[in-house]
């Protein structure tokens, strides 16, 4: 027995309905042969169009190609949008991250470990200081081997005659609030500092963030700060 596929079976079923269809046409539209012929031709034309569009493998293949083409186009557009979004926000995030990293590298705020400690760094984190010219007291919370600050800040702070100070050690200071100095922090060169030993006098709202107590000679660094300045 020959093998019959689904399309062939459907065509046979439709052909078997031709005679009943002609009977119903004659019942609906009377015995006018011209009218029956016109209706029959319309049915045949509709069936022919249906078979070409729905039962033809070539037609379905064309539909599939068109659908795949549209899907591929949408996918490509979606991927393009995704790549652009990732690039834009990635670049933005990188720029923000770089700016933040650059900002926190200034004024002895860098978390870079200061090891080994150069011998020419005279003072240590936790020591209490007095500014030689302005007279305010404070405590050292960080240092750089030379000034690290925006160039504009350095140009404003140091006159042409004192530009050499930029290459000397600088210290970040929490200023004692009791002095009423107005500023809460300072970044000053080593030559402007003198040390006070054995005097716990610094009052500042950030003290507990940097120090856990006082040992009689200097303030004791918190563990996170000690990791940055292991030799102080």
């Amino acid at each position: 027995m020959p093998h019959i596929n689904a399309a062939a079976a459907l065509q046979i079923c439709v052909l078997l309905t031709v005679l009943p269809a002609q009977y119903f046409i004659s019942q609906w539209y009377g015995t006018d042969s011209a009218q029956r012929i016109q209706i029959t031709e319309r049915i045949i034309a509709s069936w022919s169009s249906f078979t070409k569009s729905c039962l033809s493998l070539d037609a379905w293949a064309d539909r599939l190609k068109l659908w795949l083409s549209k899907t591929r186009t949408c996918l490509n557009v979606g991927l393009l949008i995704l790549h652009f979004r990732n690039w834009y926000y990635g670049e933005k995030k990188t720029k923000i991250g770089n700016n933040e990293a650059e900002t926190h590298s200034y004024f002895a705020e860098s978390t870079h470990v200061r090891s080994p400690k150069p011998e020419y760094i005279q003072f240590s984190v936790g020591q209490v200081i007095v500014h030689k010219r302005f007279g305010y007291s404070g405590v050292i919370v960080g240092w750089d081997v030379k000034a690290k600050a925006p160039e504009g800040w350095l140009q404003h702070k140091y006159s042409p005659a004192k530009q050499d100070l930029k290459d000397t050690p600088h210290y970040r200071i929490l200023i004692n609030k009791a002095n009423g100095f107005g500023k809460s922090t300072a970044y000053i060169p080593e030559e402007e500092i003198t040390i006070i030993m054995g005097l716990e006098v610094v009052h500042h709202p950030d003290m507990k963030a940097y120090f856990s107590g006082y040992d009689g000679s200097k303030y004791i660094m918190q563990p996170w700060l000690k990791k940055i300045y292991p030799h102080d």
Side-chain angles (χ1 to χ4, degrees):
M1 183 176 179
H3 177 71
I4 300 176
N5 58 30
L10 181 60
Q11 289 179 343
I12 291 172
C13 291
V14 172
L15 290 174
L16 292 175
T17 63
V18 171
L19 288 176
Q22 288 180 337
Y23 171 75
F24 285 115
I25 290 170
S26 65
Q27 293 297 316
W28 292 340
Y29 295 96
T31 58
D32 189 336
S33 59
Q35 190 177 31
R36 288 199 301 272
I37 290 172
Q38 289 180 356
I39 295 172
T40 302
E41 288 177 347
R42 291 176 186 172
I43 293 174
I44 293 173
S46 299
W47 168 249
S48 176
S49 175
F50 172 77
T51 55
K52 288 180 180 180
S53 62
C54 297
L55 300 182
S56 171
L57 293 178
D58 291 336
W60 281 105
D62 291 340
R63 286 191 180 91
L64 181 60
K65 289 179 181 179
L66 180 60
W67 179 80
L68 289 174
S69 175
K70 291 181 178 179
T71 303
R72 189 179 299 111
T73 301
C74 292
L75 181 61
N76 289 338
V77 171
L79 289 174
L80 182 62
I81 293 173
L82 180 62
H83 284 312
F84 176 78
R85 180 181 179 276
N86 289 341
W87 170 83
Y88 175 78
Y89 287 105
E91 286 289 313
K92 187 175 181 181
K93 184 177 180 180
T94 300
K95 290 178 180 178
I96 292 173
N98 289 340
N99 289 338
E100 289 179 348
E102 184 177 348
T103 298
H104 289 296
S105 69
Y106 293 148
F107 306 113
E109 288 189 291
S110 171
T111 56
H112 172 71
V113 177
R114 311 303 203 275
S115 180
K117 183 178 181 179
E119 293 182 358
Y120 56 84
I121 301 293
Q122 297 184 31
F123 309 130
S124 300
V125 173
Q127 287 186 307
V128 179
I129 65 94
V130 171
H131 195 285
K132 291 180 180 179
R133 289 189 297 128
F134 299 131
Y136 62 77
S137 60
V139 60
I140 298 172
V141 293
W143 52 259
D144 292 319
V145 294
K146 63 179 182 178
K148 290 186 178 181
E151 188 60 31
W153 185 91
L154 292 171
Q155 293 295 332
H156 176 75
K157 182 174 178 63
Y158 297 116
S159 64
K162 293 187 175 182
Q163 287 296 304
D164 291 344
L165 285 177
K166 295 190 297 183
D167 296 323
T168 64
H170 276 61
Y171 297 81
R172 180 175 178 83
I173 309 298
L174 295 185
I175 297 175
N176 186 5
K177 288 292 186 180
N179 298 151
F181 189 68
K183 293 175 60 178
S184 62
T185 62
Y187 188 62
I188 52 182
E190 192 172 80
E191 72 165 25
E192 296 181 353
I193 292 176
T194 186
I195 297 297
I196 301 176
M197 299 295 293
L199 186 61
E200 186 181 3
V201 296
V202 180
H203 301 281
H204 191 283
D206 294 335
M207 287 294 289
K208 290 184 179 180
Y210 289 92
F211 306 108
S212 60
Y214 187 76
D215 66 3
S217 62
K218 66 177 185 177
Y219 286 92
I220 303 169
M221 287 184 281
Q222 293 284 9
W224 70 268
L225 191 58
K226 185 65 177 177
K227 290 181 180 178
I228 300 174
Y229 299 95
H231 308 297
D232 282 26

